[in-house]
Amino acid sequence: MKDSHDSPLTDSVHFEIRDGVAWIGFNRPQSRNAMTWEMYNALEHYCDVLAGDDEVHAVVLHGVGGEAFVAGTDITQFANFSKPDDAIGYERRIDQVVGKLERFPKPTLALIEGACVGGGAALALVCDFRYATPTMKFGVPIAKTLGNTLSINNVSRLIDMIGVARTKEVLMMARLFGAEEAHAAGLVNHVFAADTIYADVAMLAADFAKRAPLTLQASKELINRALEQRRLEADASDDWVTTCYMSRDFAAAVDKFVNKTSFEWTGR
């Protein structure tokens, strides 16, 4: 293990390498592993350093605590959003981190227990493989919770994975998909029992050491090139990002989470 891996960037992300597999654990179980800016920064850092580490042949992302993979971005971080640049900058930052994980040159596996929603869903979508326990709940329930929106790129990724009809259910109806339904839809590769999933995923990740590295890299890169042809420029969603994040509804929804106030949607 190299020195650049050893020191934790934040206690909220647990990192270790075992048998050539890097394990990145989102470690805020008290908040269902909701992502802070530090956690996004740490994930991006590990993507950078592991890409060139010849001793690592696969990466597993997982949530600590067994109750959640990642339950979105920590809502308290939205409390100070006051201008359009705050909203656009946030979505650009998420696109940057998610895009780096998507372009990571080695196999990535998401081990999903419990909630995988919002930003967690975006991270899981760009992993090469997704494995879940029966408790998994996948979705982006922002039509019920915050009243914001995904970026155009993350909407595109969702469409690529589950199709237009199901994407509308996820975004407009705030539907959460269970593990078996997600498996049937092709979103999840396999559903494992909670007491075996870590061993099962470790075995799958270890198997990549027996595969041709250049074939793995080429396959992943060529698939990404094909998908990128269907993506729009990042600013294609700036108008709706600004509208949603600068709305009274969004401010009230954040205030409800932070200060336990009540509100009703107004459409303004």
Side-chain angles (χ1 to χ4, degrees):
M1 197 180 303
K2 296 181 180 179
D3 292 342
S4 58
H5 303 168
D6 289 344
S7 300
L9 302 175
T10 168
D11 290 338
S12 296
V13 176
H14 181 261
F15 176 82
E16 63 178 319
I17 297 176
R18 301 198 309 265
D19 300 323
V21 176
W23 292 75
I24 299 175
F26 304 113
N27 185 28
R28 294 183 72 221
Q30 73 282 3
S31 301
R32 298 203 304 166
N33 301 323
M35 296 288 283
T36 63
W37 306 145
E38 284 185 336
M39 293 167 73
Y40 283 120
N41 292 342
L43 177 57
E44 186 177 35
H45 167 79
Y46 288 127
C47 286
D48 285 338
V49 298
L50 293 172
D53 188 336
D54 294 336
E55 297 178 2
V56 171
H57 54 259
V59 174
V60 177
L61 275 63
H62 65 102
V64 173
E67 298 297 322
F69 175 71
V70 167
T73 298
D74 190 325
I75 295 173
T76 61
Q77 298 186 137
F78 298 134
N80 295 323
F81 278 26
S82 61
K83 55 187 183 300
D85 283 350
D86 293 331
I88 294 171
Y90 166 70
E91 288 296 338
R92 290 285 197 281
R93 179 63 182 138
I94 298 304
D95 275 346
Q96 180 179 347
V97 177
V98 171
K100 182 155 288 188
L101 180 60
E102 183 176 45
R103 293 186 299 272
F104 185 75
K106 302 174 185 180
T108 53
L109 302 83
L111 188 163
I112 304 170
E113 302 171 281
C116 179
V117 297
L123 293 173
L125 279 174
V126 297
C127 287
D128 299 312
F129 307 94
R130 283 156 297 281
Y131 301 100
T133 64
T135 63
M136 185 195 84
K137 295 295 181 184
F138 175 94
V140 187
I142 50 179
K144 283 185 177 179
T145 56
L146 285 180
N148 59 331
T149 183
L150 296 182
S151 71
I152 190 69
N153 282 329
N154 281 322
V155 171
S156 177
R157 290 179 177 110
L158 198 53
I159 293 170
D160 286 338
M161 186 62 65
I162 61 175
V164 171
R166 287 192 178 99
T167 295
K168 288 183 177 179
E169 289 185 359
V170 167
L171 296 179
M172 299 172 70
M173 299 176 71
R175 274 204 58 200
L176 295 177
F177 283 72
E180 292 298 340
E181 187 176 9
H183 183 226
L187 172 64
V188 166
N189 294 87
H190 195 84
V191 179
F192 289 113
D195 59 349
T196 68
I197 189 168
Y198 274 84
D200 291 328
V201 171
M203 187 178 301
L204 289 166
D207 278 348
F208 285 109
K210 305 171 187 175
R211 308 289 185 261
L214 293 179
T215 299
L216 295 178
Q217 292 176 43
S219 299
K220 183 166 182 173
E221 173 63 19
L222 293 176
I223 290 168
N224 281 341
R225 287 182 190 178
L227 291 174
E228 285 172 3
Q229 298 303 310
R230 292 146 60 162
R231 302 275 160 81
L232 300 174
E233 294 297 325
D235 61 5
S237 55
D238 283 358
D239 54 345
W240 278 109
V241 167
T242 299
T243 297
C244 291
Y245 279 90
M246 294 296 102
S247 68
R248 296 177 188 172
D249 279 348
F250 179 76
V254 172
D255 191 59
K256 176 185 179 181
F257 180 85
V258 174
N259 298 312
K260 312 303 180 187
T261 55
S262 61
F263 80 102
E264 294 184 0
W265 301 114
T266 67
R268 295 182 175 82

